[in-house]
Amino acid sequence: RGDGHRMANIHTLDSIRGRDERTPYQYAESYQQPHHGGAGGAYEYSTIHGPDYAASGEQDFLIDVGDDQPIPMSTLKPWQIPFAFCCPCCFGNPARFLRAFLGVMCLIQIIMFVVEIARSHGSVLQIPVPVLTELGAKDAQLIKEGQIWRLVTPVLLHGGIIHIAVNVFAQLTFGLQLERKWGIPFTATVFFVAALSGNLMSVLVAPGSISVGSSSAIFGLLGAEVAFVTATWSQMTQAMKTATMISYGLFLMLMVMFAVSANVDMWAHLGGFIAGAFLGFAYFAANFDSEQVRRILPSACVFTLAMSIVLGIVAVYML
């Protein structure tokens, strides 16, 4: 797949039929690493074509399904195309999910949901609060008593079948795309730090609520992606800017609609988003054009986020 870190989403490319061993990524508009001296979170946009690009009049859409190679849209049946765009996780080799951090997290969440159902004697639509509390839900009083792990364990639990379906869908579509672009270490860092920060904000602002779910971590990934798009905006073509605004605008609208619905911990979502944005601006700072921003932003974001978490934990035990 060439040097650097590349990921193609949906692109118009020459048909790959009859080509040599080169992968479609070598012909795709891509994210490429490194940039600005090779810093860890730096990317540059580039358009790479094969030498026979102009010779072929055939074109095809390649849909990235998180597998080793994208799927040409011409190989799909008409009824499969909408699923490929809205749920690419339905295609490709299922074993790839076990190689992905978010795939493993989804598997753990599903296993824990089965445990929840068993402990609640078959309840599926809504898991009883005592069962969720027993298994590790966010409970401000128990956290104050020393069960600090409850700032993270809620990410493994869900309150019902609709709740887990929405979050697993978001992780296997939006989340896996980001993991392929950023790599496992940064994705996992954002996931857990956002979960911790979101639950911490919920404890401070809404201490009376018992909450579960990975939405705080998902909003953290969204915050980091907002930082990534902001940092690389000047490198994008106009077409990429338009596609980015439409795709993430729709996703944000759906997540916000879900976030403000009943029985949803909005403070956990907000805390997760803020933490993800801080981590994103720190990690992708090398993509900004200003040398001063590239030098100051990483340490400023990491220091601010770390101090906020520490002071938040201290405040929990002082309230």
Side-chain angles (χ1 to χ4, degrees):
R1 287 194 284 269
D3 55 357
H5 185 173
R6 303 179 180 178
M7 189 275 285
N9 286 326
I10 302 172
H11 306 279
T12 303
L13 305 176
D14 290 294
S15 172
I16 61 174
R17 292 185 292 272
R19 295 196 181 277
D20 55 19
E21 68 278 3
R22 291 170 295 182
T23 69
Y25 292 108
Q26 293 177 287
Y27 301 89
E29 192 170 47
S30 61
Y31 305 110
Q32 183 175 352
Q33 192 177 20
H35 182 51
H36 287 313
Y43 292 77
E44 63 182 7
Y45 289 96
S46 62
T47 302
I48 305 172
H49 299 294
D52 53 348
Y53 176 79
S56 172
E58 295 187 57
Q59 291 186 331
D60 203 350
F61 283 100
L62 295 184
I63 303 174
D64 186 356
V65 296
D67 213 339
D68 292 334
Q69 291 189 356
I71 295 179
M73 193 168 71
S74 62
T75 64
L76 299 177
K77 297 178 180 179
W79 66 268
Q80 291 178 312
I81 294 176
F83 290 97
F85 279 92
C86 72
C87 190
C89 56
C90 298
F91 297 84
N93 181 9
R96 72 188 187 276
F97 295 122
L98 296 181
R99 301 193 298 267
F101 163 74
L102 288 175
V104 173
M105 290 303 303
C106 288
L107 179 61
I108 295 174
Q109 290 164 357
I110 292 172
I111 292 173
M112 289 303 301
F113 188 66
V114 172
V115 174
E116 293 174 31
I117 294 173
R119 298 299 292 269
S120 58
H121 306 290
S123 178
V124 174
L125 293 178
Q126 186 172 357
I127 305 298
V129 171
V131 172
L132 296 174
T133 303
E134 178 186 2
L135 294 175
K138 185 224 84 178
D139 185 315
Q141 185 57 44
L142 294 178
I143 292 173
K144 291 180 182 180
E145 294 175 3
Q147 297 183 22
I148 195 71
W149 60 83
R150 290 180 179 271
L151 291 175
V152 177
T153 52
V155 79
L156 304 177
L157 307 173
H158 290 85
I161 187 66
I162 297 177
H163 190 196
I164 190 172
V166 170
N167 283 351
V168 166
F169 175 80
Q171 289 167 175
L172 292 183
T173 52
F174 171 74
L176 274 185
Q177 292 289 342
L178 299 184
E179 182 176 331
R180 282 171 55 79
K181 183 167 62 177
W182 301 339
I184 291 177
F186 181 67
T187 303
T189 299
V190 172
F191 190 88
F192 286 117
V193 172
L196 185 152
S197 301
N199 287 314
L200 181 59
M201 178 172 282
S202 177
V203 169
L204 293 172
V205 181
S209 67
I210 306 296
S211 58
V212 294
S214 59
S215 300
S216 57
I218 295 171
F219 269 84
L221 296 174
L222 178 61
E225 174 65 0
V226 169
F228 174 79
V229 170
T230 302
T232 59
W233 188 257
S234 63
Q235 303 171 34
M236 296 185 189
T237 65
Q238 187 57 46
M240 294 174 68
K241 291 178 180 179
T242 302
T244 298
M245 292 294 291
I246 292 174
S247 60
Y248 289 120
L250 290 174
F251 179 82
L252 179 61
M253 181 179 66
L254 291 174
M255 292 303 294
V256 169
M257 288 174 59
F258 175 72
V260 299
S261 60
N263 299 322
V264 172
D265 193 340
M266 291 187 297
W267 295 109
H269 295 173
L270 178 61
F273 180 87
I274 293 173
F278 269 88
L279 288 174
F281 279 114
Y283 191 69
F284 301 119
N287 292 280
F288 283 99
D289 295 329
S290 171
E291 182 179 353
Q292 186 175 11
V293 171
R294 296 198 302 268
R295 185 177 67 253
I296 297 175
L297 194 59
S299 55
C301 288
V302 171
F303 176 79
T304 302
L305 179 59
M307 288 302 299
S308 298
I309 293 175
V310 170
L311 293 176
I313 293 176
V314 171
V316 168
Y317 289 98
M318 291 181 62
L319 293 178

